[in-house]
Amino acid sequence: MPARNRRLPRHLSWPLTSTDISSALGETSSRALQLSFFDHHWTDGTLLKADWRPPIGSNYGAGLLPDWWSSVWITVGPVPSGERAAARQLLCEQALPELRSWVEKARNGSEAWVLSRHSIAWQYADHLLCVSRDGQLYQPVKLP
């Protein structure tokens, strides 16, 4: 992303691009996939987060338009520029394959799973990648 369009202070960088994410998911952008780039740090150090919004009638009263139901919301957070390469490598090797599986589960999972809110998030700290599922505490990523 060109520096003039970045919206980030010079000392921060996004570790992933939209191309990285769409390549990892194996698809082109669709209306059911909402991608955004956060312009400041999450307080808990999250770098990559995905949320599933179920298609239930009460969503509309909560401010979600019906077009947004059954959508996967992916958000990328920034890292200090000096840590970008290391964070990018870990996210590409460990988080993006799991994100792909998670998105497939959101779209093709059981009815019980699809009708509930879900989230998955990755945090980078001390050269380690940790994962949180459905708001649980972050745990180190276990490699296959």
Side-chain angles (χ1 to χ4, degrees):
M1 180 173 290
R4 70 178 183 271
N5 296 335
R6 287 177 39 132
R7 302 185 332 251
L8 284 177
R10 290 206 178 273
H11 69 285
L12 295 177
S13 298
W14 288 299
L16 297 171
T17 65
S18 56
T19 303
D20 294 329
I21 293 171
S22 36
S23 295
L25 297 179
E27 62 184 45
T28 57
S29 295
S30 72
R31 287 183 38 172
L33 180 68
Q34 310 293 328
L35 179 62
S36 62
F37 290 84
F38 218 38
D39 58 0
H40 58 280
H41 284 292
W42 268 295
T43 56
D44 64 357
T46 299
L47 284 187
L48 177 61
K49 182 175 185 178
D51 291 297
W52 168 253
R53 308 280 166 78
I56 54 177
S58 65
N59 281 352
Y60 190 67
L64 290 178
L65 300 173
D67 288 349
W68 294 355
W69 298 349
S70 299
S71 291
V72 175
W73 296 73
I74 299 174
T75 307
V76 178
V79 294
S81 295
E83 296 177 23
R84 180 187 182 276
R88 176 183 172 73
Q89 181 179 0
L90 286 174
L91 288 168
C92 287
E93 291 173 359
Q94 299 173 19
L96 292 181
E98 187 173 359
L99 177 63
R100 180 182 179 128
S101 299
W102 188 88
V103 168
E104 287 174 5
K105 187 174 187 179
R107 294 192 173 148
N108 304 313
S110 69
E111 185 177 359
W113 198 94
V114 170
L115 291 176
S116 307
R117 280 190 97 124
H118 293 282
S119 66
I120 190 166
W122 289 270
Q123 174 189 64
Y124 176 75
D126 299 324
H127 302 286
L128 279 175
L129 198 61
C130 297
V131 64
S132 169
R133 291 175 183 83
D134 296 330
Q136 300 297 315
L137 294 176
Y138 280 94
Q139 300 293 322
V141 170
K142 292 183 175 72
L143 298 176

